[in-house]
Amino acid sequence: MSPGKLAVIFGLGVAAGFIIKIGDPLDSWYPVWRETGLLARAVVCLIAGGSLFTLGWLHGFLFGPLELLRGPDDVGYIVENGRSKAQAANEVRRRRRTGDLPPVYPNGWYRVLDSRMLRRGEVRSVTVLGEQVAVFRGQDGEAYVVDAYCPHLGANLAVGGQVVGNCIECPFHGWQFRGTDGKCVKIPYAEKVPEFAKVRIWPSCELNGQVLVWFHCDGEDPQWLVPEQQEITTGEWVYRGRTEHFINAHIQEIPENAADIAHLGHLHTPAIVSGVDLRCTNSKTWEFLRHDWKVQWEPEAEPNKHCSQMLVKHALTVFGSTWHLLDVCVLARQIKHLLNCTSTQEN
Ligand code: FES
Ligand SMILES: [Fe+2]
C-alpha cells in the first residue's frame, strides 16, 4: 500500500478516535458536536485524511527520487491543423517505416534495467533492440537475460514465468531453462531432456546499478567490457532521479548528438523554447535571455577507447550580464550507449 493511502487511513482513524472521544457528554466540546451533528464530524475526518495525504505526498515529492517520465509525443511534435501531438507522433512513425529491412543496431552494450528493479527470484519482460527478452535474477543473485519466447511452443517466459534456483520456468508446460547457458534442465512430464532444448541467452553483465546486454550484429561475443565508474561503486555518486524521453529516432543518433558539440552554441544559445520548437529558436521575445556554452569533447585512451569525456561549461546571461548563480560545469562520461555525468555549480 502506498504511503499516501496509509496516511489517509491513519488520519481517518485519528479523526474518528477524536470524534468518539468528544461524544463523551463530559467533554467540553460535547455541546458543539451535538449542535453541528454528523456533517461536521465527516468534514473533520476528511480534513484530517486530506492533510495527512498531502503531507505524505509532499514527503515523497521532496525526499524521493525525482522520476520524470515522458511519452513519445511529449517533445518534438508540433500541434497544428487540428492534430493532437499523439497523432503527429504517429504520423512520423509511419513515415519512418522503410520496408522489411531489420532494424540495424551498433555493436555494444545496452542497458536493459536498473538493478534495483530486479529483486532476487523476480522476472521482468523487457523490449530491447527490437527484441523481447526475459530478465530474471536467480537465487544466486546473478541477473540473466534470455529470449522471452520459449523454444517449446512460444510462451513468453517473462509473463507468469517462475524463477526456480537459477533457472526460469516456462508458465505454459513448466520447462526449466538455466540462466547461465539457456539449456533446458527439466521437463516435468518427461524423463529425458533433449540436447537441443535450449533458449538463447544474451551476454550480460551488471555493474554500477545497471543490467547490461551485449549486442553484436554477427552474434560475436563481447569484444570489450564496460569500465566500472568508481564514484558510483563507492557511493560518492548516488541516484537522484532522471528524465526519460521516448522519441522516434535511430538509437545511434542519441550518442552522436551527445558528441555533437557544435550545435550547442548555435541551437541552444537562445533561451526557453530553443530546441523544442525550432521555429522559435530566434524569437525576438526571448533575446534578453541567452545561454553561453563552452564545450570540449574527446575520446579516452586505450583500454577505454569506447569511452569519451565531454566538459560542458554553461552560463546564463540576462540583458547581457551573467547570472553566476546559474553557472553550471558538467563533466559527462559517455560509454558507447551509456552515459554517466557529474556536475558542479561554480560561483
Ligand atoms: S511453451 Fe514453454 S514449456 Fe511449453
Ligand atoms: Fe541539443
Side-chain angles (χ1 to χ4, degrees):
M1 188 178 289
S2 70
K5 284 181 187 161
L6 275 175
V8 170
I9 290 169
F10 180 71
L12 290 174
V14 169
F18 179 61
I19 287 168
I20 287 166
K21 183 177 176 304
I22 55 182
D24 180 355
L26 299 178
D27 190 281
S28 57
W29 281 82
Y30 180 70
V32 179
W33 289 105
R34 200 183 52 196
E35 287 302 314
T36 49
L38 202 61
L39 182 64
R41 296 172 191 215
V43 169
V44 168
C45 280
L46 283 176
I47 291 175
S51 307
L52 280 167
F53 178 80
T54 309
L55 278 177
W57 179 85
L58 261 180
H59 181 271
F61 180 72
L62 293 175
F63 302 110
L66 176 66
E67 303 216 315
L68 192 59
L69 309 181
R70 297 178 184 252
D73 57 334
D74 269 358
V75 175
Y77 296 102
I78 297 160
V79 180
E80 58 183 15
N81 303 332
R83 287 182 322 168
S84 68
K85 278 202 281 186
Q87 284 169 323
N90 274 334
E91 198 172 297
V92 172
R93 194 176 300 133
R94 269 199 302 278
R95 280 204 301 265
R96 289 182 63 84
R97 289 220 174 111
T98 51
D100 296 331
L101 288 175
V104 179
Y105 299 104
N107 303 335
W109 288 97
Y110 293 83
R111 169 198 167 275
V112 282
L113 277 179
D114 289 349
S115 299
R116 66 190 166 88
M117 296 171 169
L118 193 68
R119 290 192 299 265
R120 201 179 287 252
E122 198 174 31
V123 57
R124 281 188 167 256
S125 173
V126 179
T127 305
V128 60
L129 304 166
E131 305 240 18
Q132 201 68 32
V133 296
V135 188
F136 68 96
R137 195 178 292 287
Q139 297 305 340
D140 60 357
E142 292 290 317
Y144 300 103
V145 185
V146 300
D147 271 356
Y149 298 116
C150 179
H152 178 216
L153 285 178
N156 190 333
L157 299 169
V159 180
Q162 300 285 328
V163 176
V164 181
N166 300 322
C167 302
I168 181 80
E169 182 185 277
C170 179
F172 209 171
H173 306 92
W175 291 25
Q176 288 178 8
F177 301 93
R178 203 156 51 196
T180 45
D181 56 5
K183 172 129 185 35
C184 179
V185 293
K186 183 178 173 189
I187 298 175
Y189 46 85
E191 282 179 11
K192 278 192 178 169
V193 176
E195 257 323 291
F196 57 82
K198 206 171 177 186
V199 67
R200 179 167 72 121
I201 60 158
W202 290 60
S204 63
C205 69
E206 187 168 17
L207 85 165
N208 291 150
Q210 296 186 323
V211 180
L212 312 173
V213 289
W214 167 261
F215 170 83
H216 192 283
C217 59
D218 295 323
E220 291 181 16
D221 286 336
Q223 295 163 349
W224 53 278
L225 297 175
V226 177
E228 188 175 13
Q229 196 72 36
Q230 284 299 327
E231 293 87 343
I232 299 175
T233 310
T234 58
E236 195 181 328
W237 293 355
V238 292
Y239 179 67
R240 295 285 187 208
R242 61 182 172 171
T243 62
E244 185 174 308
H245 296 242
F246 285 86
I247 63 169
N248 285 323
H250 190 280
I251 203 163
Q252 178 72 9
E253 291 178 79
I254 304 303
E256 282 186 4
N257 179 250
D260 172 17
I261 57 177
H263 85 283
L264 286 172
H266 186 74
L267 181 67
H268 296 299
T269 292
I272 307 294
V273 289
S274 123
V276 176
D277 185 340
L278 295 185
R279 295 170 304 177
C280 305
T281 303
N282 293 307
S283 158
K284 297 279 177 220
T285 318
W286 299 103
E287 244 180 9
F288 67 96
L289 215 54
R290 314 288 286 177
H291 297 283
D292 181 37
W293 302 93
K294 290 193 177 37
V295 190
Q296 290 171 330
W297 181 92
E298 54 186 35
E300 293 182 16
E302 286 282 12
N304 293 333
K305 65 174 185 172
H306 296 277
C307 303
S308 59
Q309 301 223 1
M310 182 165 63
L311 178 66
V312 182
K313 288 191 175 181
H314 163 270
L316 186 74
T317 60
V318 181
F319 293 114
S321 56
T322 306
W323 281 28
H324 288 294
L325 202 61
L326 295 172
D327 285 358
V328 174
C329 181
V330 176
L331 176 64
R333 188 184 196 197
Q334 188 178 12
I335 305 164
K336 265 300 179 80
H337 309 291
L338 315 167
L339 194 68
N340 295 306
C341 295
T342 179
S343 71
T344 53
Q345 282 235 310
E346 286 191 343
N347 294 317

